[in-house]
Amino acid sequence: MIKRIAFALLATASIPAILHAPAAHAATAPAPAEMIQMDHLSVQVIGKGSPVILIPGLSSPRAVWDGVAPELAKTHTVYLVQVNGFGGDAPGANLGEGLLPAMVAELHKLVAERKLAGAAVVGHSMGGLLTLMLAKAHPGAVGKALIVDAMPFVGSAFFPGSTVESVKPQAEAMRAQMAGLYGKPLPEAVGQAIARQNAAKPESQAQVAAWMAKADMRVSAQTMFEDLQTDLRPDLKAIAAPITVLVPWLAARGGEAPTLDLYKREYAGAPRVNLKGVADSGHFIMLDQPEAFRAALTAFLAG
């Protein structure tokens, strides 16, 4: 959600399911989901089978994956990650700095303790960046990666040719603006602008706005700042795991060819990357185009 939030903040005020199965006899009711609580992340574990780790994006709860998680759990052990401070949860240790590296360390701890090396990892937006960071820092931890609309350097979405240094003033300003929203109702104009930038369908926009309103703005502010200050493009060559990138595009926002060309440039250093365009979708592909997302996820896991 990072680039869409930033665009919305800049454009407004001159600033920046519960998973449940069908009812059944009590004897066959599923066991309660396991919850792993860490300092920076929590992880809900459901299902049984080969492991899949699902990481949502900025300000998003694990409910992002509700459209696919129950079905996945029939054949996989699904690890549903959530950043502390999102989804209405307490921020835990996420009120400091260095949050993204700390989250990568906890993801690696999860992989090591649960013996998940080589797992399939799916990350949306900031979760995609975390997936790339994990694959780079801990070779072997990620068997293959599905990146759902994320770039190795999100600053490129603002200004072509920008660098970490050149976007730092804007990143600092947006961090201050977002953190200033803590403890207050999310302004309707801001919430609607963010929702429109992130999703194409009205029902998708309503869901995005609801998730944003439940996020701790202090955590959102710092993680967005760190995302904008992270450039993994020079490190892509060190990632041996195959990477699939889902790239949403809308005719009203440039169309398919220019959008894919941008992502091709950004991922040019990755030795094993496959870009897949998803038509008529905003940033939240799983909401705007659920069938296309489900099909892409199925193909990724089977490949």
Side-chain angles (χ1 to χ4, degrees):
M1 198 189 295
I2 173 70
K3 64 183 177 183
R4 273 70 179 193
I5 286 180
F7 282 136
L9 288 170
L10 290 169
T12 55
S14 300
I15 61 164
I18 300 173
L19 302 178
H20 50 86
H25 189 275
T28 61
E34 177 188 3
M35 187 68 72
I36 303 168
Q37 184 63 58
M38 295 182 279
D39 292 337
H40 299 277
L41 303 170
S42 66
V43 184
Q44 186 183 64
V45 187
I46 60 173
K48 186 175 182 180
S50 59
V52 181
I53 302 172
L54 304 179
I55 311 173
L58 183 71
S59 301
S60 298
R62 60 175 56 89
V64 160
W65 311 112
D66 277 1
V68 295
E71 189 67 24
L72 277 181
K74 295 177 181 179
T75 53
H76 297 81
T77 304
V78 183
Y79 295 82
L80 294 154
V81 176
Q82 183 166 294
V83 173
N84 294 340
F86 297 166
D89 284 353
N94 285 337
L95 296 181
E97 299 180 354
L99 301 187
L100 297 189
M103 293 174 194
V104 171
E106 289 191 347
L107 288 169
H108 181 243
K109 180 181 179 182
L110 173 73
V111 169
E113 292 185 350
R114 295 296 176 117
K115 303 185 187 308
L116 306 179
V121 184
V122 182
H124 175 234
S125 193
M126 188 185 78
L129 181 66
L130 289 170
T131 301
L132 295 173
M133 292 173 70
L134 177 64
K136 186 264 178 183
H138 303 284
V142 178
K144 55 185 176 181
L146 179 62
I147 308 300
V148 185
D149 197 17
M151 290 183 180
F153 175 53
V154 74
S156 296
F158 296 97
F159 310 105
S162 63
T163 66
V164 165
E165 292 75 20
S166 69
V167 301
K168 188 173 183 180
Q170 292 93 334
E172 290 175 333
M174 288 186 288
R175 175 173 60 179
Q177 291 151 6
M178 287 189 72
L181 296 173
Y182 173 70
K184 308 170 187 176
L186 184 69
E188 185 176 354
V190 174
Q192 289 179 351
I194 291 170
R196 287 193 298 269
Q197 286 291 335
N198 276 278
K201 295 180 178 179
E203 58 270 29
S204 304
Q205 294 170 1
Q207 182 63 82
V208 170
W211 286 335
M212 183 74 181
K214 293 187 69 176
D216 187 313
M217 286 294 104
R218 299 168 298 179
V219 180
S220 294
Q222 182 61 29
T223 50
M224 182 174 69
F225 173 78
E226 293 185 18
D227 196 325
L228 282 163
Q229 291 294 283
T230 301
D231 186 355
L232 285 185
R233 289 175 297 183
D235 299 316
L236 291 176
K237 60 181 179 295
I239 298 178
I243 301 169
T244 301
V245 186
L246 298 185
V247 182
W249 61 270
L250 293 164
R253 296 182 185 173
E256 181 177 20
T259 305
L260 285 174
D261 284 346
L262 171 62
Y263 282 74
K264 286 176 184 177
R265 292 194 299 270
E266 294 300 298
Y267 280 93
R272 304 172 67 188
V273 65
N274 182 26
L275 303 180
K276 294 182 177 294
V278 181
D280 302 319
S281 179
H283 184 52
F284 279 79
I285 300 172
M286 66 290 292
L287 299 182
D288 280 339
Q289 295 294 340
E291 293 303 322
F293 177 72
R294 196 172 296 116
L297 177 60
T298 299
F300 164 74
L301 293 174

